[in-house]
Amino acid sequence: MKYTVITGASSGIGYESALAFAAKGKNLIIVARRVEKLEELQAKIKELYPALDVVVVESDLSITQQAYTLYNSLKNYEIETWINNAGLGEGSFIVDQNLSKVEMMLKVNIESLTILSTLYVKDYADVEGAQLINVSSALGYAIAVGSVAYSASKYYVSAFTEGLAKELEIKGAHLKAKVLAPAITETDFVKNSNDIEEYDYQANMPKYHTAKEMAGFMLNLYEGTETVGIVDTNYQFNLTAPIYPVISEF
């Protein structure tokens, strides 16, 4: 039995992606800190698709060691797709940043993502059909003043994943590494990034996507052959070749 792992599955893009992959008949391992939200999602998927297996795993990826614990706990599962969707933001000028919050963001966006990606690649590089999808951001390709640390963390995700895709290609590996780069999406992200209780996207954003729309784009990336799925400045979703220039030592 094969599984798709989705981190950060308790809300937003991760939640909707779990539903989208379930609709494609994929057994799921859903991961997040908020177990009660995962169990609600598990029940919803089981009601819609009773034949599927949905495994709930609690993990706090702001604690680096838990990335290792998470991966090692899943060694007995055959994982055909690993989606690193968990991510945090920080919406302030650098001089005003809460460094504790920034440190937590870097651990989730960079450290845990790198650990989980590397462990998965080591085990599945030669497995036909295996995919790693890392969720970056359109701000991983353009610097966002007022969210520079967040933007820089997503630059890392984009560059790391595009570079990994090239290395896998050079090695003739079967596994494909891909980047999803959303723009503004209607989730709890803005509230959490800016430490506010409520945020009205319709009132404040001229353009944005819903989490369900982004989950659809995630599926397009999964089913396509290109490395990058990115939302452009006109809020159109495009599947493209790697964007960063590559210097190969081989």
Side-chain angles (χ1 to χ4, degrees):
M1 188 179 290
K2 297 180 180 180
Y3 289 81
T4 295
V5 173
I6 303 175
T7 69
S10 59
S11 64
I13 295 171
Y15 181 97
E16 293 294 345
S17 294
L19 290 170
F21 275 78
K24 292 289 183 178
K26 304 296 184 182
N27 298 302
L28 296 167
I29 299 171
I30 50 176
V31 182
R33 291 177 296 113
R34 297 179 294 176
V35 175
E36 69 282 359
K37 295 292 185 182
L38 293 178
E39 290 174 344
E40 290 172 10
L41 175 58
Q42 179 190 44
K44 183 173 183 177
I45 293 170
K46 292 295 288 182
E47 182 179 351
L48 291 169
Y49 312 105
L52 295 184
D53 189 25
V54 182
V55 179
V56 166
V57 181
E58 179 183 8
S59 184
D60 183 352
L61 295 176
S62 68
I63 302 169
T64 307
Q65 185 58 42
Q66 290 203 19
Y68 290 100
T69 303
L70 167 63
Y71 189 83
N72 290 332
S73 74
L74 302 180
K75 282 282 195 175
N76 292 330
Y77 293 93
E78 184 179 355
I79 300 168
E80 63 176 351
T81 307
W82 189 291
I83 300 172
N84 283 316
N85 167 74
L88 298 177
E90 214 287 332
S92 61
F93 280 73
I94 290 173
V95 70
D96 300 318
Q97 282 183 157
N98 178 332
L99 277 177
S100 295
K101 189 174 180 181
V102 171
E103 183 180 359
M104 186 179 295
M105 176 185 73
L106 296 178
K107 286 181 177 179
V108 176
N109 294 7
I110 295 178
E111 291 183 18
S112 288
L113 178 138
T114 303
I115 290 163
L116 292 170
S117 296
T118 303
L119 291 171
Y120 183 65
V121 168
K122 284 178 179 292
D123 284 344
Y124 286 86
D126 295 322
V127 177
E128 187 72 44
Q131 284 198 44
L132 169 71
I133 299 177
N134 286 333
V135 177
S136 178
S137 169
L139 299 184
Y141 295 93
I143 295 171
V145 174
S147 299
V148 169
Y150 169 74
S151 183
S153 76
K154 292 301 189 177
Y155 264 71
Y156 176 87
V157 175
S158 297
F160 173 79
T161 312
E162 288 192 16
L164 171 59
K166 185 63 177 179
E167 289 187 352
L168 290 168
E169 179 187 321
I170 290 170
K171 284 184 169 290
H174 292 300
L175 186 149
K176 303 298 181 186
K178 299 178 178 180
V179 184
L180 182 71
I184 294 169
T185 306
E186 188 181 20
T187 67
D188 291 336
F189 183 82
V190 171
K191 292 192 297 184
N192 295 336
S193 298
N194 295 282
D195 295 318
I196 55 178
E197 291 296 322
E198 295 297 331
Y199 187 82
D200 188 334
Y201 281 83
Q202 195 166 9
N204 291 284
M205 293 293 176
K207 292 183 180 180
Y208 61 90
H209 289 113
T210 65
K212 188 172 184 177
E213 286 174 320
M214 280 311 310
F217 298 154
M218 176 88 79
L219 269 181
N220 291 342
L221 177 64
Y222 169 77
E223 293 172 343
T225 58
E226 298 289 2
T227 301
V228 179
I230 187 169
V231 176
D232 65 23
T233 54
N234 294 315
Y235 275 70
Q236 298 299 308
F237 181 71
N238 302 287
L239 295 173
T240 74
I243 294 169
Y244 285 127
V246 174
I247 300 173
S248 177
E249 298 180 358
F250 300 94

